[in-house]
Amino acid sequence: MYDFVVVGAGPPGSRFARRAAEDGRDVVAFEKGSVGEPLACSGHVSDDVWEYAPDGARDDLLQNRVYGARFHVGGPDSRSYPFYKREPVSNVIDRVGLDRALAEAAREAGADVRENHTVVGVEERADRVAVDVRTPAGDVERVEARMVAGCDGPTSRVRRALDLPEPDELLHGVLGFDPAADAGDYVDVHLTAPTFFAWRIPRGDAGVEYGLAAPPSEDVSEMFERLTDAYGATTDRRCSGAIPVGPPARTTSDRGFLIGDAAAQTKPFTGGGILYGMRAADVAAAAIDPADPETLADYESGWRAELATEIRLGKAIRRCYSLPEPVQRVGLRALSGEIGVHMDEPSSFFSASHLRSLFSRATPPERIHPDDRGAK
């Protein structure tokens, strides 16, 4: 009898497994394939990610440092509106490597992390959960625990098994990589995909990432081809996946709970969920006592208190993607320049540092070239 069965060993699952194991809980985590594969998420993250990664991970995982973003209402040849800082805004990292580092940290804390184990069934009972797992040999084994943590992504099997509500929406995202090295200072954001955006991220020696997301009713493959053609890029290692936006009304059941993409704990304005998921994982590890199901309510209220403001403001930013182009241009022109915001926290738009930047616009640092669109 385990304290927790964790389904999914992405960043939220591995983070929860690590923190719960450090607190003396008996934890087993199942990942249906190899940790980190297949890649289905961008590796563009804030500096805060290093607070959750093991010591030394930054030296191994960092690929490039980014100082800002150029926003476009049209394609790569359209006017750009730069938003920048004089110090790095964000990091581009080895995304697969991050997952593996976090899973290894969970193992070192005492969690039993098993790869190539697919959860095929979850059943809640009065005093436990029964989880059926297909092993690498093809056998199905039953594992029992006091609680189950669904950290298994946007189309979560655990969420369905526990009869928990779906996220507000699922976007369809696609990524592709051009191997040509690019250590540029800026990411490019194109407000051209319906209700969302497309992007270009320089990854240093690892090449360039191109991507976009849109409602599943749209032909994202065709839009992706138009994006890369406009840049004259040739991509390989293409991948795609669902991006959940809008947390459901409930993320806990009698003996189960959701973390990360399974709970749509993502930024509505970018779809990114690495940091939000790990913040929620820390709340879960601190709040939930596997022997006391009533503590699940503490997690439900706790993670919402942690993230609700940022998600609410993020939804407001997302709505701006669908404004008429002339209105977008006016807004971008008025707000572009030096910023003092945190890429994961829309509330920082009202911070003292950003307001100082907003009202004292200065010339960009010499090494940053807002009008240079970078290598195509």
Side-chain angles (χ1 to χ4, degrees), residues 139-354:
D139 302 322
V140 175
E141 297 180 354
R142 173 154 290 187
V143 176
E144 294 187 334
R146 291 180 175 85
M147 289 189 181
V148 60
C151 309
D152 50 340
T155 58
S156 170
R157 179 185 292 272
V158 174
R159 186 176 64 227
R160 295 194 302 271
L162 300 180
D163 197 26
L164 291 171
E166 299 287 319
D168 290 346
E169 63 177 318
L170 288 176
L171 299 174
H172 183 188
V174 60
L175 300 175
F177 299 88
D178 185 335
D182 188 338
D185 293 331
Y186 277 71
V187 302
D188 285 281
V189 177
H190 298 271
L191 302 179
T192 51
T195 78
F196 216 65
F197 63 88
W199 62 87
R200 178 188 186 276
I201 301 175
R203 305 183 68 92
D205 291 340
V208 180
E209 173 189 317
Y210 294 89
L212 63 82
S217 59
E218 302 291 337
D219 189 341
V220 296
S221 295
E222 180 181 339
M223 289 189 289
F224 183 81
E225 294 292 348
R226 290 202 298 266
L227 173 70
T228 54
D229 287 348
Y231 272 103
T234 301
T235 61
D236 57 14
R237 295 190 297 123
R238 191 176 299 185
C239 53
S240 65
I243 301 173
V245 177
R250 185 165 51 94
T251 61
T252 59
S253 63
D254 293 338
R255 288 192 170 271
F257 55 99
L258 307 176
I259 311 177
D261 281 5
Q265 292 162 340
T266 62
K267 295 180 286 184
F269 57 105
T270 71
I274 296 174
L275 188 65
Y276 283 16
M278 290 196 291
R279 286 169 65 177
D282 282 0
V283 173
I288 299 172
D289 178 353
D292 183 3
E294 291 186 3
T295 59
L296 288 168
D298 298 328
Y299 166 64
E300 187 80 80
S301 60
W303 81 256
R304 293 183 189 277
E306 177 79 10
L307 300 175
T309 297
E310 307 304 342
I311 291 175
R312 184 177 64 254
L313 293 174
K315 288 181 179 178
I317 295 173
R318 166 87 180 281
R319 287 193 288 270
C320 295
Y321 300 164
S322 299
L323 292 173
E325 285 190 16
V327 177
Q328 290 178 334
R329 294 181 192 278
V330 169
L332 289 171
R333 184 166 59 247
L335 296 174
S336 65
E338 188 169 3
I339 58 174
V341 298
H342 188 292
M343 67 175 285
D344 292 317
E345 299 174 358
S347 61
S348 63
F349 182 86
F350 305 101
S351 66
S353 62
H354 179 62

Side-chain angles (χ1 to χ4, degrees), residues 50 56-62:
W50 306 122
R58 185 180 183 280
D59 293 338
D60 296 329
L61 302 178
L62 182 65

Side-chain angles (χ1 to χ4, degrees), residues 76-162:
D77 291 326
S78 64
R79 175 176 177 175
S80 66
Y81 300 88
F83 294 74
Y84 67 89
K85 284 186 177 182
R86 295 173 181 266
E87 66 278 354
V89 174
S90 56
N91 300 259
V92 184
I93 63 169
D94 175 353
R95 181 66 176 78
V96 173
L98 175 67
D99 283 25
R100 291 174 176 169
L102 294 170
E104 187 57 33
R107 289 188 178 103
E108 291 178 357
D112 181 3
V113 180
R114 304 183 193 178
E115 299 179 65
N116 301 305
H117 282 67
T118 302
V119 170
V120 295
V122 178
E123 180 186 346
E124 282 187 297
R125 298 178 180 174
D127 61 344
R128 69 189 66 192
V129 291
V131 179
D132 292 329
V133 186
R134 182 177 293 112
T135 71
D139 302 322
V140 175
E141 297 180 354
R142 173 154 290 187
V143 176
E144 294 187 334
R146 291 180 175 85
M147 289 189 181
V148 60
C151 309
D152 50 340
T155 58
S156 170
R157 179 185 292 272
V158 174
R159 186 176 64 227
R160 295 194 302 271
L162 300 180

Side-chain angles (χ1 to χ4, degrees), residues 14-94:
S14 290
R15 179 66 181 182
F16 174 76
R18 175 187 177 181
R19 291 300 305 274
E22 288 173 343
D23 288 342
R25 309 300 189 188
D26 197 4
V27 183
V28 61
F30 298 114
E31 175 59 40
K32 66 180 180 181
S34 297
V35 169
E37 298 178 351
L39 176 66
C41 177
S42 176
H44 182 217
V45 297
S46 68
D47 274 332
D48 290 359
V49 74
W50 306 122
E51 298 177 14
Y52 297 84
D55 293 342
R58 185 180 183 280
D59 293 338
D60 296 329
L61 302 178
L62 182 65
Q63 294 175 332
N64 193 22
R65 306 183 82 188
V66 172
Y67 287 76
R70 290 180 294 242
F71 280 77
H72 306 257
V73 176
D77 291 326
S78 64
R79 175 176 177 175
S80 66
Y81 300 88
F83 294 74
Y84 67 89
K85 284 186 177 182
R86 295 173 181 266
E87 66 278 354
V89 174
S90 56
N91 300 259
V92 184
I93 63 169
D94 175 353

